[in-house]
Amino acid sequence: MTQPLNTYRSGPDETGHFGIFGGRFVAETLMPLILEVEQAYAATREDPSFQEEFDWYAKHYIGRPSPLYFAERMTEHLGGAKIYFKRDELNHTGAHKINNTLGQILLARRMGKTRIIAETGAGQHGVATATVCARFNLPCVVYMGATDIERQAPNVFRMKMLGAEVVPVTSGTGTLKDAMNDALRDWVANVESTFYIIGTAAGPHPYPAMVRDFQSIIGEEVRWQLAEYEGEGRLPDTLVASIGGGSNAIGLFHPFLDEPTVKMVGVEAAGHGIASGEHAASLNGGRPGVLHGNRTYLLQTDDGQIVDAYSISAGLDYPGIGPEHSWLHESGRVDYVAITDREALDAFQLCTRLEGIIPALEPSHALAQVIKLAPELPKDHVLVVNLCGRGDKDVFSVAKYLGVEL
Amino acid sequence: MSATLPLEGLPAQRVETRIGRRFAALRQEGRAGLVTFVTAGDPDPDTAFEILQGLPAAGADVIEIGMPFSDPMADGPAIQAAGQRALKAGMTLRRTLDMVRRFREGDAETPIVLMGYYNPIYAMGVDGFLAEAVAAGVDGLIVVDLPPEEDDELCLPAIEAGLDWIRLATPTTDERRLPKVLAQAGGFVYYVSILGITGTRSAGGDEVAAAVARLKRHTDLPIAVGFGIRTAEQAGEVARSADAAVVGSAIVDVVRRNLDEEARAKPGLAAAVHALVGELARGVRGAAEHGDPAER
Ligand SMILES: Cc1ncc(COP(=O)(O)O)c(C=O)c1O
């Protein structure tokens, strides 16, 4: 399991590991299935007709490429680095999640699967899955924690309108991690017919690599889009992205991992602060462990019981993180920091007022880190932040925080 | 400890272990065994110990003890809830090992298998866990989320420490995969007879017989069949072809049904569990004559 030292982009190895992280920690019933998905994906990614199909829907259905936008007023306001937004919030369904659900449903179709399942926390991945299921006429079952269903009523309604069945999850603590457990349980019981569309770059191999590959369109676009502003061949100096499970971040980072001049910062959710114990920062406040089919950093007790994550941002509220990030963290290639609820809310408001863009609370965490970094950096420093979701879904949470009755 | 590593050829049973001795004795008696699953610490540590202590007398031939985990992805609602009750009552992996140690003070023969998920073991540290498990009198391990592809880090030192590493086989484990699954298996093979999670449905007797016959072509280890067996009758049916029937959810359900509104054990809870185990044991023992011992 040695990675060649001159590349950070060759992982995972043939057994699905990034260093000690990743792998396929699943029950025997699932193992043959996981191997089937791996084989099918390996064959598919080599097939040019698959890439063509993906590109066609990415352009005409999702609306890619998403713009790279120079955030002039924010740049002026902070008085340092030049700030660019990668505007994945303009995608169909309002976030980067659909890049991945599109890729996976095209694979599921090629595998002849007739039923789709997914887990969701905030409902963003559930909506993105229900959307492609409607488009490709496949039945869709979304597992969602009972507490989340209450908190995210609009997304639940959206999924239902799109024809999905939303199953309330009461097992465990009734949150995202339990929704993922129940989706895995469903899969075990319906192995023949069903494809499980996992919503982030986590889970058993090949999911972390597959989700990363589908999301890498984000970073690949940034590479050529930057030329329009900065001239041919100019690389970004710093990339910043928020991290729930890590899919939007790895999508932005991965194409640049072997460019030694490009600094990368992953932003976890510090909730009420790491010291409070109420956070979702697996790397900054967790330890390595095994959950949901992979070894990675997890929030857990001394006894190895998984604890619930907390963040004002439902999309960052996951007690784990994709295994590739755990590996990039330990190898030191990427910096991982944590931003509190309060810092994220301040960034949310600043971005909204300065740029006329209402960001989701997830990328607001990345923006809060930009607010810390940019003033210290020279004016020719190119900083790209992944604006991976729009904030329409969050206006209720923000109003509540601001003490406004809607 | 002379650990014979059955890495090549047909996995052989090690008769010098408690599990090996127990299955050899069952073979002598010409009957199949009953494997009972209980969750450590459910519904509280004292009651759980009372249940455990009485299982051999009630008719359990082998005891599986579930190590509670917050995220038991292969378990159905009954065993999930049992784990939650145990965790709420303060159960930990160390206390689970303590429970085995106490049990061993009064029972030197009934094999104890710990069953659960890897993370609590990983958190405790593999070496420390194995040393304490052996010292406590544990005989075997089933770690559901460690398939052959990932289990070297626990399986090899566990075998080295003298424990039986029990592998799961399922209907999706095809001919090509079976040898890999059986390669380091010890004690017995746990055949999960359904596609799905614990306690949700059960397989028919013919299906089970065919599956057992298939496994027997690949291994000399005893075959225990479980997931979804609820009644004495079903246990008896499984016992006609398998070497043991495993019952878990049905037992755990008796625990749940004997809780008061505050989820505390009602008087007689352990006796109710033992009564069910007695019935299941009669079902297993009453199964049709169990093949010619010489052939098995
Ligand atoms: C807009 C948005 N950003 C980020 C995330 C976090 O996921 P990931 O870290 O996989 O990008 C979510 C998850 O729901 C999301 O909806």
Side-chain angles (χ1 to χ4, degrees), chain A residues 361-373:
Chain A
L361 284 171
E362 293 83 8
S364 295
H365 285 69
L367 288 166
Q369 183 62 22
V370 168
I371 291 171
K372 290 187 180 177
L373 289 175

Side-chain angles (χ1 to χ4, degrees), chain A residues 95-97 124 199-200 242-248 315-316 360 362-363 388-389:
Chain A
H96 66 293
K97 294 282 173 190
Q124 291 303 105
T200 190
S242 62
I243 299 204
S247 70
N248 87 82
L316 303 184
E362 293 83 8
C388 59

Side-chain angles (χ1 to χ4, degrees), chain B residues 166-204:
Chain B
I166 295 158
R167 285 263 176 80
L168 300 164
T170 75
T172 56
T173 313
D174 61 20
E175 295 301 301
R176 220 156 23 97
R177 192 171 162 72
L178 256 181
K180 187 181 180 87
V181 167
L182 296 171
Q184 281 150 329
F188 57 89
V189 175
Y190 189 146
Y191 182 67
V192 173
S193 59
I194 52 152
L195 288 177
I197 50 180
T198 50
T200 43
R201 54 183 183 221
S202 67

Side-chain angles (χ1 to χ4, degrees), chain A residues 336-384:
Chain A
Y336 293 89
V337 299
I339 285 290
T340 63
D341 286 358
R342 179 174 293 271
E343 291 169 322
L345 281 156
D346 290 346
F348 174 98
Q349 294 174 81
L350 189 72
C351 177
T352 302
R353 293 297 283 269
L354 288 178
E355 296 292 347
I357 295 172
I358 302 180
L361 284 171
E362 293 83 8
S364 295
H365 285 69
L367 288 166
Q369 183 62 22
V370 168
I371 291 171
K372 290 187 180 177
L373 289 175
E376 311 298 323
L377 294 166
K379 289 194 190 305
D380 61 351
H381 190 100
V382 172
L383 195 159
V384 178

